[in-house]
Amino acid sequence: MRSLTSKSPAKYPTTSVLPLRVARWLLDSETLARTDSAKRIAGRLLKQPAREGVVEAQSRLGRLLCKECDSQRDRRIGLEMLRQAARAGDCQAQLALGRLYSEARHHEPTQARHWLEQAAAQGSQEARHLLQRQRVRA
């Protein structure tokens, strides 16, 4: 069996492989990713792998819930998923948390800086740019 990413396939429980692949396909497709139904299906597919501790699923589901959901409860769950993935070293989750904590509704500059620095240390150019903007404002 081929690896899902550059990560070892042993990091994914075997029950999580197919749902994660389909969700990734839905969310990475230029046309499908714009539709609410594809996002809803991808979210359902990501739930179980995220519960099982698959970092990529936690990151993708967290970003989806924080960005696409109107419910406070779903956004809280999404934020927790992002935190778990970010603590595990997921660069996209770290960047997403940095962006969220920079927004007016969350406005926690210390947390924003922490997560942006983590993402920048992993090579994220966007995180570096956001850190520069944060320093200019300060």
Side-chain angles (χ1 to χ4, degrees), residues 88-101:
D90 185 88
C91 185
Q92 292 300 315
Q94 292 167 346
L95 179 60
L97 278 176
R99 274 195 230 114
L100 282 171
Y101 286 130

Side-chain angles (χ1 to χ4, degrees), residues 54-74:
V54 177
V55 174
E56 181 183 357
Q58 291 171 336
S59 177
R60 298 295 293 255
L61 183 58
R63 286 181 277 153
L64 192 61
L65 289 172
C66 286
K67 185 177 177 186
E68 301 295 330
C69 291
D70 295 330
S71 156
Q72 276 295 108
R73 179 183 174 274
D74 286 345

Side-chain angles (χ1 to χ4, degrees), residues 35-86:
T35 66
D36 289 337
S37 58
K39 292 173 191 172
R40 203 170 20 259
I41 292 167
R44 287 185 190 134
L45 289 168
L46 289 168
K47 267 185 191 176
Q48 188 59 39
R51 284 185 188 132
E52 292 172 357
V54 177
V55 174
E56 181 183 357
Q58 291 171 336
S59 177
R60 298 295 293 255
L61 183 58
R63 286 181 277 153
L64 192 61
L65 289 172
C66 286
K67 185 177 177 186
E68 301 295 330
C69 291
D70 295 330
S71 156
Q72 276 295 108
R73 179 183 174 274
D74 286 345
R75 282 198 299 268
R76 263 193 326 274
I77 292 168
L79 195 59
E80 184 54 36
M81 289 282 165
L82 282 176
R83 280 190 202 107
Q84 290 175 13

Side-chain angles (χ1 to χ4, degrees), residues 77-124:
I77 292 168
L79 195 59
E80 184 54 36
M81 289 282 165
L82 282 176
R83 280 190 202 107
Q84 290 175 13
R87 286 183 192 125
D90 185 88
C91 185
Q92 292 300 315
Q94 292 167 346
L95 179 60
L97 278 176
R99 274 195 230 114
L100 282 171
Y101 286 130
S102 296
E103 290 177 358
R105 76 174 149 177
H106 292 287
H107 194 64
E108 294 186 40
T110 305
Q111 285 291 316
R113 187 174 52 255
H114 169 76
W115 291 115
L116 290 172
E117 285 172 351
Q118 296 291 314
Q122 291 196 56
S124 170

